[in-house]
């Protein structure tokens, strides 16, 4: 069912990405990791529908999406550059039941995100913190450069808690003294929870990234049925 949501806030995450806070006409029911569909209608009647992961909720009726602009995209440039507080969007959801984390789950959690694939993982991190959940949470975040990191300040604050840890892998440019390079099997092995702890694992990013990471995790002894994945261009990925 499509609903009309009002834009009540925007926040620039990077030079090409922004978080958009929406207020829906009724309370939001949400599981961390779900997405919403956004529909735009042009004056000539042309419609475009894209899916975006929910970054978090502001009870009872608010949710946030974080959108990274694709230069050749139909929808993301408008959402990142032109959408303003007071505007309205047609929204459907949140939906999705596979790539989600529920507070009643007790096992440790390993999150691996590439680029904007961190968005649904951030929703899980926030839900974990809000619940005061005792299970260890670890995030391995692969990103181009320091200025490309989403949610940096909040992640650093949350990492002060003993139950949460974040590690960055910089693929193009890193802070002084830190290595630069794509995430590989050795770096992954050194920075994820041991398979012996039987963690639930969530991987989100571009298709090649997700496939490589999933394979390395299996090589490390993680059970395939404990690895949940989401790829750009599917649920939660859009232009």
């Amino acid at each position: 069912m499509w609903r009309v949501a009002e834009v009540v806030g925007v926040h620039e995450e990077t030079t090409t990405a922004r978080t958009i806070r929406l207020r829906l006409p009724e309370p939001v029911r949400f599981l961390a990791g779900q997405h919403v569909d956004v529909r735009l209608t042009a004056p000539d009647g042309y419609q475009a529908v894209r899916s975006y992961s929910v970054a978090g909720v502001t009870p009872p009726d608010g949710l946030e999406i974080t959108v990274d602009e694709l230069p050749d995209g139909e929808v993301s440039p408008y959402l990142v550059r032109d959408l303003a507080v007071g505007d309205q969007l047609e929204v459907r959801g949140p939906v999705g039941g596979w790539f989600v984390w529920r507070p009643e789950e007790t096992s440790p959690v390993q999150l691996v995100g590439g680029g904007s694939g961190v968005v649904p993982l951030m929703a899980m991190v926030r839900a974990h913190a809000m619940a005061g959940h005792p299970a260890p949470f670890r995030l391995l975040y692969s990103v181009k450069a320091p200025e490309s990191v989403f949610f940096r300040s909040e992640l650093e604050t949350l990492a002060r808690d003993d139950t949460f840890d974040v590690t960055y892998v910089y693929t193009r440019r890193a802070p002084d003294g830190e290595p630069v390079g794509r995430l590989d099997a050795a770096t992954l092995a050194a920075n994820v929870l041991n398979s012996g702890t039987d963690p639930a694992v969530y991987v989100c990013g571009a298709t090649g990234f997700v496939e490589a990471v999933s394979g390395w995790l299996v090589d490390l002894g993680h059970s395939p049925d404990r690895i949940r994945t989401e790829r750009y261009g599917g649920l939660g990925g859009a232009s």
Side-chain angles (χ1 to χ4, degrees):
M1 179 180 67
W2 291 100
R3 296 173 288 175
V4 176
E6 180 183 1
V7 178
V8 295
V10 296
H11 170 72
E12 310 307 317
E13 295 290 346
T14 71
T15 57
T16 63
R18 72 180 343 185
T19 292
I20 301 164
R21 179 171 294 179
L22 301 172
R23 183 169 60 220
L24 277 67
E26 63 266 339
V28 177
R29 299 180 63 183
F30 172 69
L31 294 173
Q34 289 184 312
H35 71 281
V36 293
D37 298 325
V38 174
R39 182 168 68 185
L40 300 182
T41 303
D44 63 1
Y46 173 76
Q47 293 185 325
V49 178
R50 298 292 185 271
S51 297
Y52 294 101
S53 295
V54 177
V57 294
T58 51
D61 57 359
L63 62 79
E64 295 180 350
I65 58 174
T66 300
V67 180
D68 196 17
E69 180 182 6
L70 297 180
D72 58 350
E74 281 191 318
V75 175
S76 61
Y78 168 74
L79 296 180
V80 173
R81 302 295 175 188
D82 300 321
L83 190 72
V85 172
D87 289 345
Q88 295 181 329
L89 293 174
E90 288 187 286
V91 174
R92 181 171 59 193
V95 295
W98 166 248
F99 195 81
V100 298
W101 178 78
R102 296 173 172 84
E104 58 266 29
E105 298 177 11
T106 60
S107 63
V109 173
Q110 177 66 58
L111 311 171
V112 185
S116 61
V118 75
V119 176
L121 308 182
M122 188 63 187
M124 298 178 192
V125 171
R126 287 169 166 166
H128 173 261
M130 289 180 62
H133 204 286
F137 252 58
R138 181 174 291 184
L139 170 62
L140 181 59
Y141 185 3
S142 175
V143 65
K144 293 178 182 178
E147 64 270 19
S148 301
V149 175
F150 292 6
F151 320 115
R152 177 183 285 279
S153 178
E154 185 177 357
L155 284 170
E156 291 176 353
T157 298
L158 292 170
R160 296 171 188 165
D161 191 301
D162 292 340
T163 64
F164 175 64
D165 178 72
V166 57
T167 300
Y168 302 98
V169 174
Y170 297 102
T171 63
R172 296 188 184 178
R173 190 173 63 79
D176 291 343
E178 295 192 31
V180 177
R182 291 187 178 275
L183 180 64
D184 56 22
T187 303
L188 182 84
N191 291 285
V192 296
L193 294 169
N194 189 286
S195 61
T197 64
D198 192 31
V201 184
Y202 298 84
V203 185
C204 185
T207 297
F209 175 89
V210 170
E211 291 179 350
V213 168
S214 299
W216 295 332
L217 288 166
V218 172
D219 291 343
L220 290 171
H222 292 269
S223 174
D225 63 7
R226 294 287 282 161
I227 302 171
R228 300 189 179 190
T229 63
E230 184 167 288
R231 296 164 170 81
Y232 295 163
L235 301 182
S239 64

